[in-house]
Amino acid sequence: MPNGAITEDLMCRKSIKKYLAKNAETWYDFVSDVRGREFNNGDIRLVLGFDKVSSWGIATSACSAGERVHLEFRNTGDISQTYVWHCVGNGNGRVGPCDQEMQGIITLQEADRPSPLQNQSVFLRTLNFYVSGECWMNHQIRSNDHRSDSAPPGSHHGGSQPGHQAGSGAGGLDGGDLGGGGSYPTSGGANFHATQSGLSVSRAPAVHYYKSVY
Amino acid sequence: MFLVLKLFASGLGSMARPSRAEINTPADYDIYYLQLLAKQRGSPMWIPGPDMNLPTEYRRDGIRIGDVGILCRSEGFSFLFNIFLPADHPINEGKVPSGFEPFEASNLRHELKKQVVFGPKSYLTSASVSTSSNMHSSYVSGFYGVEDVHESVSSAV
């Protein structure tokens, strides 16, 4: 987080939970039937807090016995205060936001600043809510009239079904219990270099290929 | 997009298909999510930026308090509507259920906490990363090596 983060949280949750309990079933029906989205019970969240940044670098690595990975978040040294991941070994680094994301949403004056907008959320704190077992069953029966499979293809929501509650309402406040995913192949080490004015990528010693998630 | 293709092309010669070890390795977004969830700051976002198809007004701030959406490890947050904004607000227009009534937010203004928890050049890493930050041009450098375990993962933001 080169420019730091701003943290915001809504502290008063009681009245929000009441509002949720009143509306959750309608929302589930709406999101499924009108918006046409596929999801599991508990996938719909209400945001109550976040950590937002204007620029970020994210790196992951996975290695087996005996391997060693070196990841370095390095300043490119120019005046634009841009960073790049240098990866040696099986690491993968990304930086953002890319120029394309900011196009059309920043003013000309803002474009001159090194970090114009804090619109990138690196952590989200959400209120997770479920609808009752009966409501969810009805919802699924209705949904199955339109599709033959109950597991949404390509939705990347694997894993466990959340437990059903006695009535619709709010669950715990955390960010956890997100479904797992389909499996993308992991990429080799790569350097990613994003600036506020452009994105460039250069090859690293161990580059194999990169599967984009953008 | 162009740059992604360029990288693909550069890799094809040396690697026609992923090796068995690579297929068994967890996806990057799973590694990231699970490792940084332990920091107890909520859901770590693999895609921090807002959906580029949303209105400019939304994208300038990004995800906001009161947003209802579907959260997914790989695809990020998919915005549906905001409970504090009226149905005809540009951000909510055409996106809310019929009969939608926004939450009365006037009482909540004083309940919003805003802080700086992470100052400039701060970072978070999973426990398996050993970091150093005294290098000339970088502010975080992570070394990761395993000797005894079969496979392990790490991540940083």
Side-chain angles (χ1 to χ4, degrees):
Chain A
M1 295 174 270
N3 303 303
I6 194 76
T7 294
E8 279 190 47
D9 287 282
L10 189 63
M11 305 313 291
C12 162
R13 291 161 190 152
K14 229 181 220 175
S15 48
I16 298 269
K17 284 181 179 175
K18 273 187 203 160
Y19 176 81
L20 261 184
K22 200 173 116 193
N23 291 292
E25 290 191 11
T26 316
W27 292 357
Y28 265 71
D29 289 344
F30 168 76
V31 175
S32 173
D33 300 345
V34 182
R35 300 286 293 268
R37 305 290 295 270
E38 294 178 312
F39 51 90
N40 289 326
N41 197 1
D43 279 351
I44 301 182
R45 311 288 185 99
L46 173 64
V47 177
L48 290 186
F50 52 71
D51 297 326
K52 268 188 209 170
V53 300
S54 58
S55 59
W56 48 266
I58 287 174
T60 56
S61 74
C63 57
S64 42
E67 270 187 78
R68 192 171 161 84
V69 176
H70 178 207
L71 283 157
E72 189 179 337
F73 197 47
R74 196 182 288 175
N75 193 329
T76 55
D78 59 27
I79 52 162
S80 60
Q81 285 289 304
T82 56
Y83 285 82
V84 56
W85 282 107
H86 284 257
C87 306
V88 178
N90 192 20
N92 175 27
R94 299 186 296 142
V95 294
C98 67
D99 181 48
Q100 211 180 349
E101 272 187 272
M102 305 305 278
Q103 249 171 29
I105 62 169
I106 50 173
T107 63
L108 281 174
Q109 293 90 334
E110 286 169 337
D112 290 336
R113 296 183 213 154
S115 52
L117 295 177
Q118 270 182 321
N119 67 346
Q120 306 283 308
S121 310
V122 286
F123 286 100
L124 275 193
R125 291 171 285 283
T126 61
L127 195 58
N128 310 340
F129 56 98
Y130 309 96
V131 291
S132 69
E134 193 186 349
C135 171
W136 181 248
M137 285 286 282
N138 291 337
H139 165 80
Q140 285 201 305
I141 289 164
R142 247 196 352 266
S143 298
N144 285 339
D145 292 340
H146 305 292
R147 64 172 199 262
S148 55
D149 57 329
S150 58
S155 71
H156 304 302
H157 291 289
S160 59
Q161 280 279 354
H164 293 144
Q165 295 187 339
S168 60
L173 177 80
D174 68 10
D177 198 28
L178 260 183
S183 62
Y184 284 94
T186 56
S187 63
N191 291 342
F192 299 87
H193 173 200
T195 68
Q196 298 299 341
S197 57
L199 175 73
S200 64
V201 183
S202 59
R203 287 186 66 177
V207 168
H208 296 309
Y209 60 88
Y210 173 64
K211 176 120 186 176
S212 171
V213 294
Y214 285 114
Chain B
M1 184 55 77
F2 162 72
L3 295 159
V4 170
L5 289 172
K6 190 175 165 188
L7 256 183
F8 250 101
S10 70
L12 284 177
S14 61
M15 189 159 185
R17 61 166 69 175
S19 70
R20 189 177 177 81
E22 282 172 321
I23 290 169
N24 291 334
T25 307
D28 287 330
Y29 53 77
D30 280 333
I31 296 173
Y32 182 66
Y33 180 82
L34 294 171
Q35 294 289 309
L36 290 190
L37 193 62
K39 299 296 171 187
Q40 304 204 346
R41 299 215 53 85
S43 290
M45 301 292 287
W46 179 246
I47 311 277
D51 183 344
M52 288 167 65
N53 272 334
L54 291 170
T56 302
E57 188 176 345
Y58 184 92
R59 290 169 58 205
R60 279 183 63 84
D61 271 352
I63 298 167
R64 62 194 70 201
I65 289 172
D67 277 2
V68 175
I70 298 172
L71 192 50
C72 180
R73 276 188 209 173
S74 58
E75 295 156 16
F77 183 76
S78 178
F79 172 78
L80 294 165
F81 54 90
N82 185 287
I83 64 165
F84 296 130
L85 299 173
D88 58 357
H89 189 280
I91 286 175
N92 269 353
E93 202 174 1
K95 298 190 179 79
V96 296
S98 62
F100 171 80
E101 282 180 28
F103 187 90
E104 179 48 64
S106 56
N107 309 331
L108 296 182
R109 197 171 305 149
H110 306 296
E111 300 297 334
L112 192 65
K113 192 165 71 174
K114 189 171 181 176
Q115 298 168 295
V116 176
V117 177
F118 300 108
K121 297 194 175 184
S122 46
Y123 59 88
L124 291 168
T125 64
S126 51
S128 52
V129 178
S130 57
T131 58
S132 66
S133 54
N134 54 357
M135 300 179 78
H136 172 64
S137 60
S138 62
Y139 73 77
V140 56
S141 172
F143 289 92
Y144 180 67
V146 284
E147 303 295 336
D148 303 325
V149 291
H150 171 61
E151 193 175 80
S152 194
V153 292
S154 55
S155 55
V157 60

